[in-house]
Amino acid sequence: MDEIKSKSLSELTEEIEKLGEAKFRAKQIYEWIHVKLVKDFDDMSNISAALKAKLKENYSFTKIRAERVQESKIDGTKKFLFELEDGNFVESVWMKYHHGNSVCISSQVGCRMGCKFCASTLDGLLRNLSPAEMLEQIYEITRLTGERVSNVVVMGTGEPMDNFDNLVKFIRLLTCEEGLNISQRNVTVSTCGLVPKMKEFADENLQVTLALSLHAPNDEKRKELMPIANRYTIKECLEACDYYYEKTRRRVSFEYSLVAGVNDNDKEAEELSRLLKGHNGHVNLIPVNPIKERDYKRSDKARIFAFQNKLEKNGINVTIRREMGRDIDGACGQLRRRHKEETPGVQGD
Ligand code: SAH
């Protein structure tokens, strides 16, 4: 059945008219779903029983359920493990910043990109998330915390560009004026570098921030960490980023996870500086979050600062990602994996 929560207002209007109902009903229903965040058709109090019955016949009302919530004692970050209706699990993170609340969502169940340091990809891809399932992570967190979300980052499990159509639909719904109306400028989409999709994304005329997971200053090193580097070169990725900037005037963010002894020496900082010179963007340094399945270690503080300094001296904009929720399985996919280990046989995967 079609998910009503994945329909745009114009799609919904068309369908409501097909059901022989007045057009304004579509707007009311859309508001119940995307502004008032009701949990089911029955909560739409100004919609007649007859129309509700028709809706139930034609559409499903996507739900997710928080199976686990972990709260960080350090910074109040909350990590949610959500169960989807088919029994699969995804995780989302809620972070409180001075400038507002931010939610990091998953875009797929698992991932097929195979990045070496990432826990989300260890069992491959199970399936894509629908627009409704991406939205619902934010909606359910809003219901549970009682606080408005102002920033959304698509940096949880999954490769968003590998689920392109649903991603774009999701962004349009999330930032729709008649819906939750989150500013596009407050949405960030992170990709490991699916070049053709990045260009298509630029052509969507959105105002969101694009982040490229770079993690290495040259192709050779990048291939060691990220299988996708065998398909697209860094040069091609940067060309796609330049195109994105040309089209949107949004500065791209280059993600660089620092792994001790792997990609964090001064020579690599110099090489990265040369690589990024002249590209409109800034570097986000992330101390790698070690996962137990792999032997990668985080660079120590002194090394991280030295790496940052080198970039700064070379005129590259750089920040060190503030670490949130380190005490609660902060790294992508860790909570889901842990849950799976603790409850064998329960999850569909
Ligand atoms: N697939 C997308 C988005 C999900 S990952 C992408 O590759 O960008 C979000 C970011 O976290 C990416 O930059 C990813 O490379 C990084 N990441 C994944 N696992 C990590 C870990 N254990 N430590 C640090 N960064 C990690």
Side-chain angles (χ1 to χ4, degrees), residues 89-235:
F89 288 85
V90 293
E91 50 188 271
S92 324
V93 189
W94 183 79
M95 293 158 285
K96 239 177 142 68
Y97 291 106
H98 296 303
H99 60 265
N101 300 321
S102 188
V103 170
C104 173
I105 66 148
S106 294
S107 56
Q108 297 180 313
V109 183
C111 182
R112 57 175 175 166
M113 295 298 132
C115 299
K116 293 284 167 27
F117 43 78
C118 180
S120 293
T121 199
L122 290 166
D123 292 325
L125 173 70
L126 282 170
R127 69 170 175 87
N128 284 327
L129 294 188
S130 67
E133 288 171 322
M134 289 188 245
L135 281 177
E136 192 54 30
Q137 296 171 55
I138 297 152
Y139 293 0
E140 187 62 10
I141 287 179
T142 305
R143 294 183 198 108
L144 292 171
T145 60
E147 290 190 38
R148 193 184 148 78
V149 170
S150 53
N151 294 273
V152 171
V153 296
V154 188
M155 283 195 184
T157 295
E159 168 49 48
M161 297 291 164
D162 192 34
N163 184 15
F164 188 86
D165 294 346
N166 288 346
L167 171 78
V168 171
K169 266 197 191 152
F170 156 74
I171 295 171
R172 295 204 190 284
L173 289 163
L174 180 71
T175 61
C176 169
E177 267 181 44
E178 284 88 3
L180 213 53
N181 196 14
I182 290 184
S183 162
Q184 287 189 355
R185 289 163 177 266
N186 293 347
V187 177
T188 300
V189 175
S190 179
T191 178
C192 64
L194 300 187
V195 168
K197 293 292 172 192
M198 290 163 74
K199 290 184 185 156
E200 250 183 78
F201 195 58
D203 290 331
E204 288 290 332
N205 273 322
L206 296 166
Q207 275 293 299
V208 307
T209 300
L210 180 67
L212 171 70
S213 297
L214 192 54
H215 305 319
N218 57 58
D219 286 321
E220 220 174 302
K221 177 67 57 161
R222 196 160 186 262
K223 283 178 195 170
E224 278 173 30
L225 296 170
M226 305 172 73
I228 192 69
N230 293 299
R231 213 164 358 134
Y232 305 107
T233 62
I234 292 181
K235 187 164 173 273

